[in-house]
Amino acid sequence: MRVSIFTEPHRGASYDDQLRFARLVEAGGFEGFLRADHYQSMGDDPGLPGPTDAWLTLAGLARETSRIRLGTLVSSATFRLPGPLAVMVAQVDQMSGGRVELGIGAGWYEREHLSYGIPFPPVAERFDRLAEQLEIITGLWRTPPGQTYRFTGEHYRLVDAPALPKPVQRPGPPVIVGGRGPKRTPELAARYADEFNMPFKSVAQTAAAYERVTEACARSGRTESGRAPLVLSAGIVVAIGRTDAEAQRRAAPLHVKSALPPEDPVVGSPAQLVDRLGEFAAIGATRVHLRLIDFADLDHLELIAAEVLPQLDGIR
């Protein structure tokens, strides 16, 4: 079981906060550090000192870490044009020595779009744009050196793009597509993604999502095409402690009103988290992203590294 840490800097974190956390993630033996791509907190708390751009942050972390995977869960297709995003991700991949992953989704949080003047089209158009972005980004990365790339879609048009720079990872950094959508999300994951992620839901809900994406892979011909099978991953909200009181203290932010949909957190002991990881492994997950809330709570991260990671060798 591969274990990465997922964070939400829009709740309130400076670049230095994230750097300190990422270095501890690396020292603790986790596989990666992934972060949300949002420009605004989702409750009444303003999230001081304010937002940090995901890809600017990851560029900095790429130069100040040496081993961990770095990426987004997930970048919103509404935030950036696909050509420049392909350039940005390829450059950060170079800066990291080939450790970057692109999680990308259609976008959903209307409030931050209104706050920062970002167009927020209807959901069907957002998914149409996401599909075109996935086609363009992966197409640019896969274009052989010396050749150009063209694309004409409903929302984007590229004419003789030089398809540069090239990322270190070839044909490109791993692409993560995920979410709760029952139809288009599995189809897009089957066609374009390297990893499908089901975020922060129960084991049963996650298993149902895995079944949908597996069926989409079969329909798309991916299963017979020789492409690597999709990595199936899960997101888990975590609030554990050495005592029940410590775990409940860490879980307190989960009870604050938020725009997030209902989640299925693990609140309790390290052993309970190990058990949940085993349950996800049993339904086919080979990677998990543990969501930790408080950047100042370094002890939480150290507790997981010390008492959970050593127990994962037996989880298959």
Side-chain angles (χ1 to χ4, degrees), residues 29-314:
F30 296 92
E31 183 193 44
F33 174 91
L34 291 91
R35 57 155 286 167
D37 190 0
H38 285 291
Y39 289 122
Q40 196 162 355
S41 64
M42 296 176 186
D44 295 332
D45 189 322
L48 297 176
T52 52
D53 182 84
W55 286 102
L56 282 175
T57 299
L58 293 172
L61 297 179
R63 305 302 291 177
E64 300 193 80
T65 58
S66 61
R67 180 190 59 80
I68 50 173
R69 306 290 299 175
L70 299 166
T72 50
L73 276 179
V74 293
S75 287
S76 173
T78 58
F79 286 176
R80 303 168 185 91
L81 296 172
L85 180 58
V87 170
M88 292 163 58
V89 178
Q91 182 179 358
V92 178
D93 196 50
Q94 291 178 358
M95 294 168 71
S96 70
R99 294 184 284 124
V100 160
E101 306 184 18
L102 171 63
I104 186 168
W108 65 273
Y109 189 37
E110 184 176 13
R111 175 181 167 187
E112 65 188 336
H113 292 75
L114 295 173
S115 294
Y116 286 96
I118 303 168
F120 188 71
V123 62
E125 181 179 333
R126 296 201 304 275
F127 270 94
D128 290 344
R129 287 181 178 272
L130 173 60
E132 290 190 16
Q133 290 215 3
L134 285 162
E135 178 71 32
I136 291 165
I137 292 167
T138 56
L140 286 167
W141 290 340
R142 286 178 167 81
T143 299
Q147 296 186 20
T148 58
Y149 175 81
R150 283 176 166 257
F151 176 86
T152 300
E154 183 178 352
H155 303 287
Y156 307 104
R157 180 170 179 259
L158 284 72
V159 179
D160 295 335
L164 297 171
K166 295 300 183 191
V168 171
Q169 299 174 91
R170 303 307 306 269
V175 173
I176 305 170
V177 171
R180 306 165 186 87
K183 184 177 180 181
R184 296 200 67 181
T185 297
E187 291 172 350
L188 292 173
R191 183 172 180 183
Y192 296 106
D194 301 283
E195 175 179 332
F196 172 79
N197 176 256
M198 182 61 166
F200 318 125
K201 289 298 186 181
S202 70
V203 175
Q205 289 170 308
T206 303
Y210 288 173
E211 183 175 350
R212 290 192 294 268
V213 78
T214 299
E215 292 171 352
C217 286
R219 288 194 303 271
S220 71
R222 179 185 179 123
T223 307
E224 295 80 24
S225 69
R227 289 182 64 194
L230 270 176
V231 171
L232 299 178
S233 70
I236 309 175
V237 181
V238 176
I240 65 170
R242 297 172 185 84
T243 66
D244 185 63
E246 187 175 76
Q248 292 300 326
R249 172 179 61 79
R250 288 179 169 139
L254 304 178
H255 305 301
V256 176
K257 184 178 179 181
S258 168
L260 289 169
E263 300 167 332
D264 188 34
V266 175
V267 179
S269 67
Q272 286 174 271
L273 178 55
V274 172
D275 289 345
R276 181 69 63 86
L277 293 175
E279 292 171 356
F280 276 118
I283 64 168
T286 58
R287 190 184 196 192
V288 293
H289 304 282
L290 305 181
R291 191 179 101 199
L292 304 186
I293 295 172
D294 187 357
F295 276 92
D297 189 359
L298 302 182
D299 180 66
H300 197 190
L301 187 62
E302 291 173 335
L303 176 62
I304 297 170
E307 299 196 22
V308 175
L309 292 189
Q311 299 187 58
L312 300 187
D313 287 345

